Amino acid sequence: MSLRIRELADKLEEGLPREEMMREFTGKWSVSERTIARYMIFANDILSHRLNEREAVLDVMRSEALAEDIENTLRSTLELEARLCAIAEGNLETERTVHTRQGVVKVMQKPTYSEILRAIDRLLKMRGCYSIKTKNLLSPQPMIKLVISEELNEKLKLIAAKNMTENDKK
């Protein structure tokens, strides 16, 4: 059963239409369409897991490439701040290489949500927007309070909305 499910997942990944899979595998395995449909549920889970793993690897690769680019090319804190602003606004595109079954493809990638949030966090730290206050005299751990201006908050909302609509189009 697991071999059948893996084979279905592979066919789904190749983009084979559901109807064609039903015809092919009901005859091949001598089972009903309902059984194939049940197998396809598990195959979809496997495919989803594969895609999530690939996306995680790509996120790590993008972050490493971005960190390496910043380390190699930035010369001053003003350049760093400008680059972080471009990332936070979702405007900086990085080129990455993707290995597919058809070969090597170069793709331009906008920053992910986590990269945008990390850039915003770094910018806020650089600008001194975090203030440290202690809760009380008995508690030695500092409490960090984030102070964001209304203008920056509105900008963040616009960027998030823009990125969500771009991802919906994809």
Side-chain angles (χ1 to χ4, degrees):
M1 184 171 133
S2 64
L3 291 174
R4 290 178 177 181
I5 291 170
R6 275 195 219 108
E7 188 173 350
L8 284 172
D10 292 340
K11 294 293 183 179
L12 282 172
E13 192 171 10
E14 290 171 9
L16 193 68
R18 177 177 164 71
E19 297 79 27
E20 194 174 321
M21 290 173 65
M22 286 289 188
R23 278 194 307 270
E24 179 182 338
F25 292 110
T26 51
K28 181 178 177 181
W29 294 331
S30 302
V31 294
S32 68
E33 285 188 3
R34 184 174 174 178
T35 302
I36 299 296
R38 200 173 33 228
Y39 289 167
M40 287 180 76
I41 292 170
F42 293 115
N44 281 326
D45 287 343
I46 290 171
L47 184 58
S48 175
H49 183 69
R50 287 179 190 171
L51 294 175
N52 287 338
E53 285 178 345
R54 287 183 191 145
E55 184 62 32
V57 168
L58 291 175
D59 279 345
V60 168
M61 290 172 60
R62 280 192 294 263
S63 296
E64 287 174 355
L66 192 58
E68 183 179 319
D69 183 47
I70 288 171
E71 188 176 302
N72 292 336
T73 59
L74 298 179
R75 292 175 188 80
S76 70
T77 55
L78 286 176
E79 286 181 82
L80 176 61
E81 188 166 341
R83 185 69 59 96
L84 287 171
C85 286
I87 295 168
E89 292 172 352
N91 296 333
L92 182 73
E93 289 189 355
T94 54
E95 182 179 78
R96 66 181 170 96
T97 304
V98 179
H99 298 277
T100 64
R101 290 185 178 161
Q102 291 79 26
V104 177
V105 179
K106 298 225 182 228
V107 178
M108 294 305 289
Q109 180 69 42
K110 288 196 174 240
T112 63
Y113 294 120
S114 61
E115 290 169 338
I116 289 172
L117 290 175
R118 283 195 303 264
I120 291 168
D121 181 58
R122 177 64 70 184
L123 276 169
L124 292 173
K125 284 179 183 174
M126 285 175 63
R127 293 178 179 174
C129 291
Y130 291 121
S131 64
I132 298 177
K133 295 182 179 180
T134 57
K135 286 182 179 178
N136 58 39
L137 297 175
L138 299 175
S139 175
Q141 293 92 11
M143 181 174 75
I144 298 174
K145 180 181 177 185
L146 177 61
V147 181
I148 299 177
S149 68
E150 286 297 318
E151 179 184 337
L152 181 58
N153 194 23
E154 290 301 316
K155 245 185 184 181
L156 292 174
K157 286 179 184 176
L158 289 173
I159 291 167
K162 178 180 151 187
N163 286 337
M164 287 178 70
T165 56
E166 287 178 5
N167 286 340
D168 290 342
K169 290 177 185 177
K170 292 178 184 177

